[in-house]
Amino acid sequence: METLHGLVEHIVYHNENNGYTVMALMCQGDEVMCTGTMAMVNEGEYIKAEGDYVEHGTYGRQFRIASFSIEAPEDLFSIERYLGSGAIKGIGPSLAGRIVKKFKEDSFRIIESEPERLAEIKGISERKAQEIYQQFHDKQDMRQAMMFLSKYGISTAYAVKIYNEYGSRLYDIIKENPYQLAEDVTGIGFRLADDIARRAGISPESDYRIRSGVIYVLLQASMNGHMYLPVAELKAQAAEILGVSEEIVDRQLMDLSIDKKIIIKNIEERPVVYASMYYYLELSTARLLKNLNIKYEVGLTEAERQIQRIEANEKIELDEMQKTAVIEAARNGVLVITGGPGTGKTTTINTMIRFFENEGMSIRLAAPTGRAAKRMTEATGYEAQTIHRMLELTGGPEDKEGSRFERNEQNPLEEDVIIIDEMSMVDIHLMNALLKAIMPGTRLIMVGDVNQLPSVGPGNVLKDIIQSHCFNVVMLTKIFRQAMESAIIKNAHKINDGEDIDLAVKTPDFFCLKRNQALDIQGVIIALVRDKLPKNVGASSFDIQVLTPMRKGELGVERLNKLLQEYLNPKDEAKREKEQGDRLFREGDKVMQIKNNYQLEWEITDRYGIPLEKGVGVFNGDMGIVREINFFAEQMTVEFDEGRKITYPFAQLDELELAYAITVHKSQGSEYPAIVMPLLSGPRMLFNRNILYTAVTRAKKCVAIVGSGQTVMQMIHNQREQKRYSSLDVWLGEV
């Protein structure tokens, strides 16, 4: 490792989020380009830097800094340069010159120890002198804090957040209860706080640690869709993660309950534990939903006549359940319509739109994802939005619910009727935000397939609403003749009913290629996606989606993505690449956002790069293409649906993964020209009817199953699903 001493001549690039900096360092008359993570470094400062010279493919020889420290400027020129660099607000080049001319080498000492003397200089009042002093000290305090936090392995980005949250209190918090960070600072979870605590010498059996660990287990459970955990499961999981006995965990539950961090209730005659947020979220959702359930007087004869007129005008014929759905929508403040593929949900929605339009009522259509909203628009001819757009997402932090949406109790939606499609995808967070923006008197119509997988986020909203028996539910069961001509729809219903499907029959839209070895299956997948299916379905290889139940293994998401990347977007000198952990991103790659980020900004531009529209927010499951990797700026640009471009700092690339292959869970709400599904063997929990049904119903033109026919049959007969702990149906029955 080499050491450089020099003057920061010019900062070329600085990333505020992660501290990554590109700068020119003047060392003994030579300019050296340096890169590294450096918070709080300014032009004009002298630094001591340790690191190594590296050869960059594009930018040539650079010095990569591993660590650095600030040194006192060596001469009057350097002191003046630093003071005039903008490092201290209120001092520009002209004022810096006057300070140095007056106080010479004593300039720093005067600012720090005798700031009132600055008022001796023309242009500096006593108030301004104090402001300069404060700026100087804040800068020093923050730099000191950065150095202190770095000893605990805390990155620059998190160090800035911690300093902004606590100021000088951070030293006591780190030494006494670092677990407080997990509660107060966005992005710092239990694992990081626990690592800091270990470095700070906090006991593994500390009350703070146990309590934080319990909350962590509950929040991890929410990431798996649960609203609560049974007490026994919670204690067992917390004890295992913390490496302590269940008795030690148990002792902290009562204290957490008294502090209102957790809520303990009896559900189905057994004690369960909620993180407080999720308990109140479910309770609030139940109350808001019940408030909307107003009954309206509607003349049955006139309603039937109006439906007949719509049928005649639109040249359609509704079955009895579809007519019932339209009438019930007019009669009820809340209505659920559910049914499988081909049962006429879209036709029913279209009829409702015409019905309410004829009544002079305003209507709003929405769906959980951009793809689902686009499909809804195409099917109805009526503009549909994502729920987030409809609620006017603002980009506030995820944990500050009220600041996220402009539409809420104070600024509700003004439409008379709101229709939400793909309701099975809506989690408890989004449902609660939606209901806050709907006032009693507005009709809410929820449409979805209850047999699909539940939402990626916590809760089981659609299923719980139906199971509560508190609202009118219309179940569409008739498969229309046109739909029955589709082998996809025919087989989807057979799967859902637990009936065997004939895999020997191969149709252009549904077939099974039997293979018994993972390597053979991989080869067939590549051939189908790259060569055969694009011509058959009139789509590109990138539009065809590989769906698999698993993440790991030879036929899991991770392995298949690496394989498909190699064949669909191979290495090319013209394409830049970026390694991030065990992932490799390449320009042209198909990628997916894997967590909700309400603050990332996007823009839509015309072909000349002029912005046409701007907004915030990218969501779990959104898919896009990597358009540019910029090593100089340390960022990657991804283009999502509708031409939305988002620029990710390299530090945030853990929010993305390759998406040539995705899990069935991640495919919810999306529709693809064709899906390819490898099935050989795997855990019964994942290889079940629900997974197979959801995968098959994602395909528009073709389903290709590759693997074992026996596994397909086992999945059809396996009704075992992962239990999801939710209780919206319970609270709907009680409020």
Side-chain angles (χ1 to χ4, degrees), residues 414-672:
E414 295 162 3
E415 283 69 24
D416 300 308
V417 181
I418 292 170
I419 304 175
I420 307 293
D421 200 10
E422 294 287 356
M423 262 303 297
S424 62
M425 292 186 68
V426 176
D427 65 19
I428 196 72
H429 289 289
L430 193 54
M431 187 66 184
N432 191 253
L434 173 67
L435 293 173
K436 282 179 179 176
I438 302 176
M439 293 295 101
T442 300
R443 288 170 172 81
L444 174 62
I445 300 160
M446 296 171 280
V447 185
D449 185 349
V450 74
N451 293 308
Q452 283 186 32
L453 291 166
S455 57
V456 174
N460 208 349
V461 173
L462 181 61
K463 200 168 193 175
D464 279 358
I465 290 172
I466 293 170
Q467 285 183 350
S468 74
H469 302 295
C470 294
F471 308 97
N472 275 56
V473 178
V474 178
M475 194 163 289
L476 304 178
T477 54
K478 181 184 173 181
I479 308 170
F480 287 86
R481 183 174 57 79
Q482 192 176 353
M484 279 303 290
E485 292 171 6
S486 161
I488 297 172
I489 290 173
K490 200 184 299 178
N491 286 333
H493 283 277
K494 281 188 172 183
I495 291 164
N496 194 43
D497 294 337
E499 297 176 19
D500 289 348
I501 56 178
D502 191 349
L503 296 177
V505 176
K506 290 183 172 59
T507 63
D509 59 342
F510 196 110
F511 57 87
C512 177
L513 301 176
K514 293 180 182 177
R515 301 289 188 278
N516 296 314
Q517 300 295 324
L519 287 176
D520 293 341
I521 294 172
Q522 289 174 358
V524 172
I525 290 171
I526 291 162
L528 284 170
V529 175
R530 187 183 62 182
D531 306 319
K532 295 182 180 177
L533 286 178
K535 293 180 286 196
N536 292 350
V537 299
S540 74
S541 295
F542 275 55
D543 291 328
I544 293 160
Q545 191 60 57
V546 177
L547 300 180
T548 174
M550 301 181 297
R551 288 199 61 82
K552 304 290 184 183
E554 287 298 299
L555 299 176
V557 163
E558 293 172 8
R559 176 71 185 117
L560 289 175
N561 268 320
K562 286 178 180 175
L563 202 63
L564 288 160
Q565 182 189 43
E566 188 183 328
Y567 283 93
L568 299 181
N569 188 31
K571 193 175 180 67
D572 188 320
E573 284 186 9
K575 293 178 180 178
R576 283 165 288 203
E577 300 177 351
K578 168 63 182 167
E579 259 187 275
Q580 185 77 9
D582 59 349
R583 299 170 190 166
L584 174 73
F585 295 110
R586 183 176 293 138
E587 288 175 342
D589 272 336
K590 182 178 177 181
V591 294
M592 172 183 275
Q593 177 78 12
I594 57 172
K595 62 182 284 191
N596 289 341
N597 188 323
Y598 299 94
Q599 294 172 293
L600 270 178
E601 296 176 356
W602 56 259
E603 67 174 20
I604 299 171
T605 60
D606 63 14
R607 58 181 177 164
Y608 303 108
I610 298 167
L612 300 173
E613 191 179 349
K614 293 186 176 183
V616 293
V618 59
F619 308 105
N620 193 348
D622 284 357
M623 281 188 173
I625 303 290
V626 177
R627 294 301 183 199
E628 184 188 21
I629 296 173
N630 187 328
F631 287 103
F632 187 72
E634 290 273 304
Q635 58 191 29
M636 185 167 91
T637 302
V638 179
E639 184 176 338
F640 290 93
D641 290 338
E642 301 169 338
R644 293 176 299 132
K645 287 182 182 173
I646 294 177
T647 298
Y648 291 79
F650 282 175
Q652 279 184 272
L653 293 186
D654 59 347
E655 295 187 13
L656 293 167
E657 65 181 24
L658 294 175
Y660 300 101
I662 62 174
T663 62
V664 179
H665 283 85
K666 291 285 190 182
S667 71
Q668 290 165 264
S670 294
E671 193 175 68
Y672 311 98

Side-chain angles (χ1 to χ4, degrees), residues 132-352:
I132 291 169
Y133 164 80
Q134 196 59 53
Q135 279 281 325
F136 194 79
H137 266 270
D138 286 350
K139 190 80 72 178
Q140 286 187 321
D141 288 348
M142 190 163 188
R143 186 172 280 144
Q144 188 182 357
M146 297 286 175
M147 302 301 282
F148 172 79
L149 292 170
S150 69
K151 294 175 188 172
Y152 295 94
I154 299 170
S155 70
T156 301
Y158 285 139
V160 172
K161 286 184 178 180
I162 293 167
Y163 182 81
N164 289 338
E165 179 72 30
Y166 301 119
S168 60
R169 291 168 52 227
L170 69 88
Y171 302 100
D172 292 334
I173 287 168
I174 294 290
K175 289 171 182 174
E176 291 172 17
N177 178 21
Y179 298 99
Q180 189 70 35
L181 302 176
E183 292 187 37
D184 298 338
V185 183
T186 306
I188 294 186
F190 171 77
R191 293 288 191 192
L192 180 53
D194 201 36
D195 187 49
I196 296 165
R198 181 180 52 76
R199 294 179 189 227
I202 305 289
S203 165
E205 293 188 7
S206 153
D207 289 355
Y208 292 130
R209 181 171 186 262
I210 307 304
R211 294 171 67 163
S212 186
V214 168
I215 300 297
Y216 170 73
V217 169
L218 288 171
L219 293 180
Q220 285 295 111
S222 75
M223 291 174 70
N224 292 321
H226 303 301
M227 297 300 296
Y228 64 81
L229 283 178
V231 167
E233 278 190 41
L234 171 64
K235 289 197 295 190
Q237 288 183 34
E240 186 179 350
I241 285 168
L242 294 165
V244 299
S245 67
E246 289 188 24
E247 288 74 25
I248 289 175
V249 174
D250 192 46
R251 284 203 293 269
Q252 296 300 327
L253 293 184
M254 191 50 67
D255 285 344
L256 283 164
S257 178
I258 292 167
D259 289 347
K260 301 262 190 287
K261 294 288 175 65
I262 63 171
I263 305 290
I264 302 174
K265 291 283 178 180
N266 278 317
I267 300 283
E268 297 173 351
E269 298 182 355
R270 64 175 172 176
V272 305
V273 183
Y274 298 81
S276 289
M277 173 180 69
Y278 285 109
Y279 170 74
Y280 291 114
L281 204 51
E282 248 185 0
L283 206 58
S284 165
T285 301
R287 284 175 179 148
L288 290 166
L289 204 49
K290 287 294 279 289
N291 290 342
L292 291 179
N293 198 26
I294 299 169
K295 302 295 179 186
Y296 299 95
E297 290 294 325
V298 174
L300 186 60
T301 306
E302 179 50 37
E304 287 174 341
R305 280 203 200 100
Q306 194 175 149
I307 291 170
Q308 285 171 0
R309 285 196 291 272
I310 295 167
E311 286 180 307
N313 291 338
E314 302 293 323
K315 296 182 174 56
I316 56 172
E317 189 176 336
L318 304 183
D319 77 346
E320 284 308 307
M321 291 312 292
Q322 288 175 305
K323 291 175 185 175
T324 300
V326 178
I327 292 168
E328 291 303 314
R331 282 178 166 176
N332 294 278
V334 177
L335 178 70
V336 176
I337 301 169
T338 184
T343 55
K345 293 193 294 293
T346 300
T347 304
T348 307
I349 292 171
N350 281 331
T351 307
M352 283 177 181

Side-chain angles (χ1 to χ4, degrees), residues 488 491-492 495 510 675 691-699 703 705:
I488 297 172
N491 286 333
I495 291 164
F510 196 110
I675 68 113
I691 291 275
L692 183 61
Y693 174 77
T694 301
V696 167
T697 55
R698 299 305 89 208
V703 171
I705 296 171

